[in-house]
Amino acid sequence: MIIEEVASTEMIINSPLMIPECLARIFEYLRGDRISLHSCLLVNRSWCRIVVPILWSEPFKLLKDKVNPSLLRTYLSCLEDQDQLQSIQDWLTFPKAVSLPQRAAFDYPVFLRHLCCKTMYEMIENWFSEIASLEIQKNYKEFSTQLIASTFFQLIMNKCPILETLVLWSGAPNNITITAALSGTNTCLSRLVTLHIEGNYQDIDLWSISQRCHSLKQLTIDVEISGNSMNILHNLVEVQHELEHFRLGFKPENNSFNNKVQSKLLKALTNRPNLLHTIEFNRCNFIECHTLEDLSRCKNIKHLVLWKCVGLGPDKMYSLSKVNFNRLQRLEIYVHPGVAADMVIKMIKDSNNQLQSLRLAGITPQSELPSVLSVMTMHCQNLTDCRLVLKDGDSNAFNALLAFLGVSVKLEILYITFTDRVFPICNYEDMAKHLPTGLRELVFRDFLFSPNSLANFLENMTPTFHSLSFSKRHFDQQHIDVIIKYVKSKNNVYRLMKHTRYMSIKARSEP
């Protein structure tokens, strides 16, 4: 019996599953599952040594929205300069005495691969509020948080061998810079794969980044860039050897269109045209860009977004006619002064039923929209997300929409915005009957439902939707009464939510 137990133990020890490389491959499947990884970490020392690098490669992401001050304490415990740590502690706690963190079991900054500066700064503020004396919080908050942030950045840059993802945010006080004058920056950022910049461009050292990062695959710029600053962005794009995904945009509330796109930026984007598959411009100004022809060199465009951009009319859009969009999966176009219907039709036909997301507005002339919808009926049968703008009273477009809905069996999300709110389309009941059964989110914006039409529409709804929203600006008490009556009739399956601009009916299981 003892011999059998010994043999069994030897089999387990010699099993391939006990080889660290095999265990590491297995634990990779748990990446993103913080609870399961933590459980594995507690099994034994061998598992712990394998799990810790995975668990601590993206701690900010694993925490999601729960910014935990203890995470910062753990990182600060990795400081080798105890005098520096004592200095921070003195600033925070004077005249209150708080014990210093104990030396960490692992050198955790070494494992970090994904850093979000905004989350990190929120973590610093939370820790500051938790540990700092009231006197320090009242008089020295900005200075102290900057001191901690600078020390943290220095710790990360000096110890982290490779960062893969970096989200830069300029909302910290006194514009904390992480890319300059830090000894480990060159190594840490040399193999950066994803860079996301948000906040205020003037606070971000893009030039310094362009000297160090040449292997970006995804570059997202959600800031305002004006004047000579665009030249630095152009240089950053030009030195990338593996760029696949590029986005330049504004936050939704910004309508100034100061991001002036130049032809040399488009040319830089297409230095390696076979790699680039995602191009997104949101609220950008193309006045100084005479053509989009450089983009025609791209052979593998899967995602094309030109949303709420100015200075792009049919003539400039026609320069994309040379592109074969046979890999297109996502298309969003809303440009001023408009896009010709035949250009949109070409893109849809080229996609050969691969489109999964389609968002259209500003078709010129709008009378051609029925033609676009007819082509969608034939070539967009795999759409899961569709967002359209219809003109009220355009019965031809409405009937074409019904035909499209009749074949869109995979559609899950549908947004419809109505313009020229004078003559309402009266056959809403017909639309309710044509909606795909798998539809889970439906939004009507700026509609002209009468209370009676709204009641008939809800009564004829066939999908078991998760979210149904209506623009609120045209609501009166009769509309509200109809919706309340409908929600009550569903025996607590749905709940009614009132927002500033619209009203929503949501399933109880939805957040």
Side-chain angles (χ1 to χ4, degrees):
M1 186 72 176
I2 296 176
I3 295 175
E4 291 179 356
E5 290 179 358
V6 171
S8 176
T9 302
E10 289 179 350
M11 289 178 63
I12 294 174
I13 293 175
N14 296 322
S15 169
L17 292 178
M18 297 303 294
I19 299 174
E21 291 79 7
C22 293
L23 286 171
R25 294 281 298 272
I26 294 170
F27 293 149
E28 277 292 334
Y29 286 99
L30 298 176
R31 182 178 291 276
D33 187 345
R34 177 172 58 89
I35 296 175
S36 297
L37 284 173
H38 185 263
S39 298
C40 294
L41 179 147
L42 299 175
V43 172
N44 56 43
R45 290 185 179 181
S46 297
W47 283 37
C48 179
R49 293 191 190 98
I50 299 169
V51 170
V52 163
I54 299 174
L55 191 60
W56 283 84
S57 66
E58 46 185 3
F60 302 98
K61 183 178 179 181
L62 290 176
L63 285 173
K64 297 183 172 61
D65 296 328
K66 300 176 182 178
V67 182
N68 192 337
S70 64
L71 182 61
L72 180 63
R73 285 198 296 269
T74 301
Y75 274 119
L76 291 180
S77 70
C78 299
L79 277 173
E80 295 174 354
D81 187 344
Q82 291 300 303
D83 291 337
Q84 189 178 27
L85 181 58
Q86 182 66 58
S87 175
I88 294 175
Q89 203 76 1
D90 289 344
W91 263 106
L92 286 175
T93 62
F94 177 83
K96 183 175 62 174
V98 176
S99 60
L100 295 170
Q102 295 181 351
R103 182 67 182 171
F106 293 89
D107 202 3
Y108 294 106
V110 172
F111 307 127
L112 187 66
R113 297 294 179 268
H114 308 274
L115 174 61
C116 174
C117 293
K118 185 175 183 179
T119 304
M120 185 225 64
Y121 188 73
E122 290 173 352
M123 176 185 69
I124 290 173
E125 284 191 319
N126 285 2
W127 189 63
F128 176 84
S129 300
E130 176 187 282
I131 197 172
S133 65
L134 293 177
E135 180 180 347
I136 294 295
Q137 290 189 47
K138 181 179 180 181
N139 299 316
Y140 303 103
K141 180 178 180 180
E142 183 172 332
F143 175 85
S144 298
T145 50
Q146 184 183 1
L147 174 66
I148 301 168
S150 298
T151 301
F152 181 87
F153 282 136
Q154 185 173 354
L155 176 68
I156 296 301
M157 292 294 117
N158 290 341
K159 288 200 170 191
C160 175
I162 300 169
L163 265 182
E164 297 176 6
T165 302
L166 177 60
V167 181
L168 287 177
W169 177 66
S170 65
N174 292 342
N175 312 331
I176 297 170
T177 303
I178 74 168
T179 57
L182 296 177
S183 58
T185 302
N186 289 339
T187 303
C188 183
L189 299 182
S190 62
R191 292 169 60 184
L192 196 67
V193 174
T194 300
L195 176 61
H196 184 177
I197 299 174
E198 54 187 27
N200 184 347
Y201 169 77
Q202 279 70 27
D203 301 338
I204 302 296
D205 186 4
L206 271 190
W207 183 88
S208 188
I209 294 174
S210 67
Q211 304 305 302
R212 295 165 170 83
C213 306
H214 298 161
S215 302
L216 291 176
K217 291 187 177 180
Q218 180 171 341
L219 176 58
T220 301
I221 313 288
D222 283 326
V223 299
E224 180 178 327
I225 299 180
S226 57
N228 293 330
S229 303
M230 189 63 74
N231 292 326
I232 301 177
L233 174 60
H234 160 252
N235 292 334
L236 174 61
V237 172
E238 194 169 39
V239 298
Q240 302 311 315
H241 305 308
E242 303 176 31
L243 194 61
E244 298 175 351
H245 183 141
F246 175 81
R247 168 186 161 89
L248 175 63
F250 281 158
K251 292 183 178 180
E253 63 270 17
N254 193 320
N255 292 309
S256 57
F257 302 101
N258 285 333
N259 275 358
K260 295 183 179 180
V261 180
Q262 299 173 357
S263 297
K264 62 181 180 180
L265 176 61
L266 301 185
K267 186 175 182 180
L269 279 172
T270 56
N271 280 342
R272 288 159 185 82
N274 292 332
L275 293 177
L276 191 68
H277 60 66
T278 299
I279 303 171
E280 298 185 44
F281 289 98
N282 193 308
R283 298 178 186 270
C284 291
N285 189 331
F286 283 81
I287 295 295
E288 298 180 4
C289 187
H290 303 297
T291 179
L292 303 181
E293 190 167 358
D294 283 318
L295 296 182
S296 64
R297 298 171 56 203
C298 298
K299 308 300 181 184
N300 298 306
I301 297 180
K302 296 180 181 179
H303 308 274
L304 178 63
V305 177
L306 298 168
W307 193 252
K308 291 192 176 180
C309 293
V310 299
L312 277 180
D315 292 341
K316 289 184 183 179
M317 292 296 297
Y318 271 128
S319 60
L320 293 177
S321 60
K322 298 178 182 178
V323 180
N324 187 340
F325 293 96
N326 60 346
R327 295 175 180 248
L328 196 62
Q329 299 174 8
R330 174 180 167 220
L331 178 62
E332 298 184 14
I333 296 182
Y334 180 15
V335 297
H336 180 78
V339 56
D342 55 350
M343 189 66 230
V344 175
I345 289 173
K346 178 198 181 312
M347 294 177 174
I348 293 174
K349 286 184 176 180
D350 284 353
S351 70
N352 196 26
N353 263 322
Q354 292 189 85
L355 269 177
Q356 299 172 12
S357 177
L358 180 62
R359 191 180 183 194
L360 294 177
I363 297 292
T364 304
Q366 195 168 9
S367 59
E368 296 295 323
L369 183 58
S371 300
V372 175
L373 286 164
S374 297
V375 173
M376 288 170 56
T377 303
M378 299 176 61
H379 298 277
C380 291
Q381 297 179 15
N382 288 313
L383 273 184
T384 58
D385 185 347
C386 182
R387 308 178 189 219
L388 300 172
V389 176
L390 268 67
K391 184 177 181 180
D392 282 330
D394 188 344
S395 58
N396 291 332
F398 184 75
N399 291 331
L401 173 64
L402 296 184
F404 163 70
L405 293 175
V407 299
S408 302
V409 295
K410 297 184 179 181
L411 199 63
E412 299 177 3
I413 301 172
L414 177 62
Y415 282 54
I416 300 178
T417 301
F418 294 109
T419 63
D420 298 336
R421 296 176 295 275
V422 178
F423 302 105
I425 302 170
C426 300
N427 298 322
Y428 295 112
E429 299 89 337
D430 289 344
M431 182 186 292
K433 296 174 183 177
H434 283 78
L435 292 174
T437 55
L439 196 68
R440 60 181 178 83
E441 182 177 351
L442 177 60
V443 177
F444 288 103
R445 289 176 173 166
D446 301 342
F447 70 97
L448 280 178
F449 280 96
S450 68
N452 187 54
S453 294
L454 178 59
N456 290 333
F457 175 83
L458 293 172
E459 184 179 341
N460 285 278
M461 279 279 291
T462 53
T464 306
F465 60 88
H466 293 270
S467 176
L468 174 60
S469 301
F470 302 92
S471 170
K472 191 180 178 182
R473 70 176 70 182
H474 302 297
F475 268 64
D476 57 27
Q477 189 58 46
Q478 289 181 300
H479 290 98
I480 296 174
D481 292 341
V482 168
I483 293 177
I484 292 175
K485 181 179 179 181
Y486 175 80
V487 171
K488 286 183 177 179
S489 70
K490 295 301 177 180
N491 297 321
N492 211 33
V493 174
Y494 296 109
R495 56 198 170 105
L496 181 62
M497 301 180 66
K498 294 183 179 180
H499 302 272
T500 55
R501 296 182 59 187
Y502 58 91
M503 297 184 66
S504 295
I505 304 171
K506 291 188 179 292
R508 285 285 176 182
S509 58
E510 288 291 293

